Amino acid sequence: MIPPGGEVQKGQRPFWPPGGEGQEGRRPSWPPEALLGYLLLAVLLAAWEAAARMGALPADLLPPASAVLGELWRLAVSGELWRQGGATLGRSLAGFAAGGLLGSALGFCCGAFPRFGRACRVTVEFLRPMPSVALVPIGILFLGLGFGLCVAVAGFACAWPAYVAALAGAGAAGPQLRDTARVYGLSPGETLFFVRLPAAAPQVLSGLRVALAVAVAVTVTTEMAASPNGLGSFILESSLARRPEAMYAGIAAVGLLGWGLGAGFTVLRDRALGWMPRGGRR
């Protein structure tokens, strides 16, 4: 296409629209970027396997990667992995649902209503730095061991990433956008629901994605301290029983669980933000 007000000289490429130059004949890179992460993981596993086979690593502390993968497969076939992983998954999702919802709601309200935010500031800043594992003894007193304790501790931990993201997202709709809504006759309630909430959605969902990973990590940690089952309890028991293959298989299962939940949440987030240009997502 010829640029407005000009002519294309002989042998000169058109440069309009912006960004079009150099796109013709561009070849896709190989390997694709999506495969680079898997290639790095394969290289690390191969290095682990080689180091263990050559005796550079003590087998009773770090067995070969193939032995760990074989144990992971055995646990999956026997059903033990699904029982322990299912318990961790349920607790993680319950804690995430409770903590993520409360944290997002609190953060958005503190950002959207400054007086409410100032009233909550001291309490929030007192609780936010508190490590979640410090609540385990209190939780044992009130909730006992098991499901309720893990959900409460995980919910407390994952509420704060959601709170921080929602607090920042509440200001995404700047004064100009709010003034435009007022000019068009929107009431304060309509501005809140139809302007400020959609503008905050990308940051809120990004905070919830971080909160989901935190929920899995804290659930596993709490299971190690105060739960009769779950992946955390399985990892600790395997370590105490000197079963390193089972211990590392449990750790790998935690990583797979977190990766799967993160990937699934990303798909749901992209669908929820399908109305927004991709560059505006976090």
Side-chain angles (χ1 to χ4, degrees), residues 111-112 114 169-188 191-192 195-196 199:
Q176 292 182 347
L177 191 58
R178 297 197 297 270
D179 291 342
T180 302
R182 188 161 47 250
V183 168
Y184 276 92
L186 272 66
S187 66
T191 302
L192 181 69
V195 177
R196 302 195 71 163

Side-chain angles (χ1 to χ4, degrees), residues 141-218:
L141 290 177
F142 287 90
L143 302 171
L145 303 178
F147 184 84
L149 173 65
C150 294
V151 170
V153 176
F156 177 84
C158 72
W160 303 117
Y163 164 83
V164 172
L167 181 65
Q176 292 182 347
L177 191 58
R178 297 197 297 270
D179 291 342
T180 302
R182 188 161 47 250
V183 168
Y184 276 92
L186 272 66
S187 66
E190 291 173 332
T191 302
L192 181 69
F193 284 101
F194 298 113
V195 177
R196 302 195 71 163
L197 273 176
Q203 288 179 274
V204 171
L205 292 177
S206 294
L208 288 175
R209 186 184 180 190
V210 175
L212 181 58
V214 171
V216 174
V218 173

Side-chain angles (χ1 to χ4, degrees), residues 67-79:
V68 174
L69 293 176
E71 180 67 14
L72 184 65
W73 176 257
R74 187 192 68 78
L75 292 171
V77 171
S78 67

